[in-house]
Amino acid sequence: MSMDPGPRYSTYEVTNQAPPLADYDAFAADPVLRAVITVFDADWAANRLHETGRCVGSAQVQELARLANRFTPEARTHDRFGNRIDQIAFHPAWQELMGLTIGQETHALCWNRPGPGAQVARAALQYLWYGAESGVCCPVSMTYSAIPVLRQDAARWAEWGALITSNAYDSRQGPAATKTGATVGMAMTETQGGSDLRQTQTLARDNGDGTHSLFGQKWFFSVPHSDVFLTLARTVEGVSCFVVAGWLPSGERNGIAIQRLKEKCGNRSNASSEIEFRGAIGHMLGEPGRGLRTGLAMNHNTRLDIAAASAGLMRQAVAQAAHHCAHRHAFQRALIDQPIMQNVLADLAIEAEAAAWLAFRLFAAVDRQETSQSERLLARIGAPIAKYWVAKRTPAVLVEALECHGGNGFIEEHAMARHYREAPLNSIWEGSGNVICLDVLRSLEREPGALPALRDELRAAKGADRRYDAALAALDSALPELVRHEGQARRLVERLALLLQASLLLRHAAPAVADAFVASRLDGGWSGHFGDLPTGVDAAALARRAVPALG
């Protein structure tokens, strides 16, 4: 007699699982981003943002992101005959994702269509894309940040301007003259110096024809297949900045030898490398010996982009967590209907919203800086504040959002695993936490108008909430002492960031959001963890507001 129970006796049935968050408009489902573009003069870009929202929210892009991170880049240093080629091989999914991001002008919208809200609109594209696939956002961000720097050199702009602002992605790795579009990279850090770029040892030899030949190594060169990149090398005058093409007009590599690709914790779809310059031909950008200043101009833009990108990653994590909790049941109730989970989700949501308002307020300042000195100063001092704080808070948000899924969030098939590995990255790139906080101190010292511009922004919300007013008065009292001690730099930047966020929420966000933020972050006893909102906050409403609408 057979002991096989047969298929009719199968007990395996999948129930109580949240459906995938896919095939929706990520822009339409984000009330915060929609409010941001209205307040900061970027409503004209709404149709484009809806298009991008549908793209990044699609199951197709989610699958492309999975593939690009599953099948990571490979260095191909030699061809089959033994000739050096120093190319990077990518899975087709990466190339398709790059085509989509560049095609939507995520790298250049504000430069191609300048005007009110242009920087905010472009940053909104980056925000949306970073929540979908962060790896492609690295070359996109570097290209965006390099454009105003390269514009300062007429000859280099004539050579590269049309290519790096093109919305036609060209995946071929070869000379610029054969291409319809190009991307820009940066090769700055070396083994002995890291963030201390004054320790640059790469040498530049003057060729006497307006070019230099570069010799040395770079320790962390992301996107080594860039068509053109900025780098630092030492001349007789000191550390100088150079523009270097990836390939010579002949089609050969321009003296760039890829040593290996980094095996990174996250951001795995994007290639990061160690390289050696073997006589790479470059053109000096800016004044001899003033390369750090030239490089930092690009660095300033990337720091702002990091703040917007990290806010986008927060938003995606919160959306995933809220979506899961709205569909998953335990103990006879949906998770989102349980008070303790409501507190966690609401707390996560106001953190992500505060991050978005801070990042986009500073992009609005960049939009206005040509006609307003105070906006220029606010952008200068605000960029490192936002970069430090938003990037620092991102890992905490991702950990808590992942926990909302339980074990489902801790498997590689779920996008949360990839987002979790990505979360610490932006605290490291373009200056780790200590470097960024010291930059805030330097800005306060070297830019006499920076502190008044910052105070004006903070005082714009004065009178809206007594708890905010008390926190602002306390900062004013403590500021001289905090600025005086380098060891207090992180404490200073944290307090500035929280007050800036509170000021923006009080002026622009829903009253319930502003009240919850001020009550938890400024009114004493904040632990920095989530699920810490006090009684009196309508956590249930805030948690439900975080669930992305899929209609």
Side-chain angles (χ1 to χ4, degrees):
M1 183 176 181
S2 172
M3 299 298 293
D4 181 1
R8 67 182 182 279
Y9 292 107
S10 173
T11 61
Y12 190 77
E13 181 182 1
V14 177
T15 61
N16 195 27
Q17 291 285 349
L21 179 55
D23 291 328
Y24 73 110
D25 181 342
F27 173 64
D30 188 342
V32 178
L33 187 58
R34 297 200 315 272
V36 159
I37 68 159
T38 297
V39 169
F40 296 135
D41 305 316
D43 256 341
W44 55 268
N47 287 340
R48 181 185 291 259
L49 292 169
H50 278 295
E51 177 189 347
T52 297
R54 290 188 292 271
C55 179
V56 302
S58 68
Q60 176 196 5
V61 163
Q62 292 176 11
E63 176 63 6
L64 291 173
R66 186 191 72 81
L67 291 170
N69 284 274
R70 173 67 178 81
F71 301 100
T72 54
E74 297 178 359
R76 294 186 176 171
T77 56
H78 296 77
D79 67 13
R80 65 192 180 96
F81 302 107
N83 302 303
R84 283 208 75 105
I85 55 174
D86 294 290
Q87 294 185 354
I88 308 296
F90 288 93
H91 189 275
W94 165 273
Q95 308 291 13
E96 189 170 345
L97 288 164
M98 282 295 297
L100 290 169
T101 55
I102 296 292
Q104 292 164 13
E105 292 186 287
T106 312
H107 66 307
L109 177 63
C110 54
W111 311 124
N112 290 339
R113 303 187 184 191
Q119 292 283 345
V120 170
R122 192 220 61 88
L125 295 171
Q126 178 82 338
Y127 168 101
L128 288 167
W129 266 106
Y130 206 84
E133 162 44 27
S134 55
V136 295
C137 292
C138 178
V140 163
S141 183
M142 289 193 292
T143 303
Y144 154 73
S145 301
I147 287 171
V149 179
L150 288 171
R151 272 181 170 168
Q152 297 172 17
D153 187 307
R156 302 288 74 76
W157 186 249
E159 183 179 5
W160 293 102
L163 286 171
I164 63 177
T165 56
S166 168
N167 65 354
Y169 174 65
D170 192 330
S171 65
R172 294 172 295 168
Q173 297 177 32
T178 66
K179 301 192 66 172
T180 57
T183 58
V184 186
M186 284 192 293
M188 301 292 184
T189 58
E190 299 179 2
T191 54
Q192 75 288 338
S195 295
D196 186 0
L197 299 177
R198 295 170 298 180
Q199 302 303 317
T200 295
Q201 298 300 309
T202 296
L203 297 176
R205 186 184 66 203
D206 193 339
N207 294 326
D209 60 358
T211 69
H212 287 71
S213 293
L214 277 54
F215 299 88
Q217 55 79 32
K218 295 295 175 181
W219 180 239
F220 222 110
F221 180 6
S222 284
V223 199
H225 57 287
S226 299
D227 299 286
V228 61
F229 57 91
L230 273 62
T231 191
L232 297 175
R234 190 170 292 278
T235 63
V236 292
E237 296 87 358
V239 177
S240 303
C241 187
F242 291 88
V243 181
V244 182
W247 280 263
L248 297 171
S250 63
E252 297 175 302
R253 257 306 203 171
N254 182 14
I256 301 162
I258 297 172
Q259 306 295 74
R260 64 170 178 165
L261 296 187
K262 301 283 193 181
E263 189 76 12
K264 295 175 294 185
C265 169
N267 202 252
R268 295 178 64 84
S269 66
N270 176 40
S272 299
S273 66
E274 299 164 27
I275 63 102
E276 182 183 359
F277 290 138
R278 299 177 177 177
I281 305 298
H283 293 85
M284 189 179 293
L285 185 65
E287 299 175 33
R290 305 300 295 273
L292 296 183
R293 173 176 289 187
T294 305
L296 286 174
M298 181 174 175
N299 190 252
H300 174 75
N301 294 330
T302 53
R303 287 177 177 179
L304 270 180
D305 230 23
I306 280 172
S310 295
L313 186 58
M314 281 190 191
R315 169 56 192 167
Q316 177 60 207
V318 173
Q320 290 281 355
H323 174 78
H324 173 84
C325 291
H327 290 86
R328 180 83 164 173
H329 288 71
F331 310 109
Q332 291 78 52
R333 285 186 293 179
L335 293 179
I336 201 168
D337 291 330
Q338 303 188 23
I340 193 167
M341 182 60 83
Q342 290 170 346
N343 199 310
V344 170
L345 291 172
D347 213 354
L348 287 169
I350 65 171
E351 185 76 32
E353 180 160 353
W357 281 108
L358 178 56
F360 284 105
R361 169 63 183 97
L362 297 170
F363 274 104
V366 176
D367 270 322
R368 302 163 184 168
Q369 66 183 0
E370 296 302 320
T371 58
S372 170
Q373 175 71 347
S374 63
E375 291 290 300
R376 185 191 70 79
L377 290 166
L378 181 63
R380 173 64 188 93
I381 188 67
I385 292 172
K387 192 273 188 191
Y388 170 78
W389 187 242
V390 177
K392 267 282 177 274
R393 293 297 294 163
T394 302
V397 169
L398 266 291
V399 168
E400 195 68 54
L402 187 151
E403 187 178 325
C404 291
H405 297 265
N408 282 357
F410 202 65
I411 56 173
E412 285 298 325
E413 289 96 332
H414 201 301
M416 284 302 299
R418 186 175 79 251
H419 296 328
Y420 172 76
R421 289 195 305 273
E422 182 72 21
L425 175 63
N426 283 338
S427 282
I428 300 168
W429 277 10
E430 308 308 329
S432 57
N434 289 345
V435 171
I436 296 296
C437 290
L438 292 176
D439 186 42
V440 173
L441 289 183
R442 279 192 297 272
S443 297
L444 290 172
E445 179 184 352
R446 296 176 184 177
E447 293 272 12
L451 185 55
L454 198 56
R455 279 189 163 130
D456 286 347
E457 185 69 15
L458 294 174
R459 288 170 180 165
K462 194 171 182 180
D465 187 291
R466 59 169 182 77
R467 298 162 298 183
Y468 174 81
D469 292 350
L472 183 57
L475 176 66
D476 280 337
S477 298
L479 197 59
E481 192 69 14
L482 290 172
V483 171
R484 189 176 299 118
H485 296 286
E486 184 179 298
Q488 296 296 304
R490 285 190 176 216
R491 184 173 176 81
L492 168 66
V493 175
E494 174 182 333
R495 292 179 70 175
L496 288 171
L498 286 171
L499 280 164
L500 280 168
Q501 289 178 319
S503 171
L504 289 160
L505 292 174
L506 286 166
R507 286 178 283 155
H508 303 303
V513 174
D515 176 69
F517 187 89
V518 172
S520 56
R521 271 70 170 168
L522 300 185
D523 202 23
W526 184 47
S527 69
H529 297 296
F530 296 100
D532 205 21
L533 297 177
T535 56
V537 170
D538 190 351
L542 292 173
R544 281 286 175 187
R545 182 173 177 265
V547 179
L550 306 186

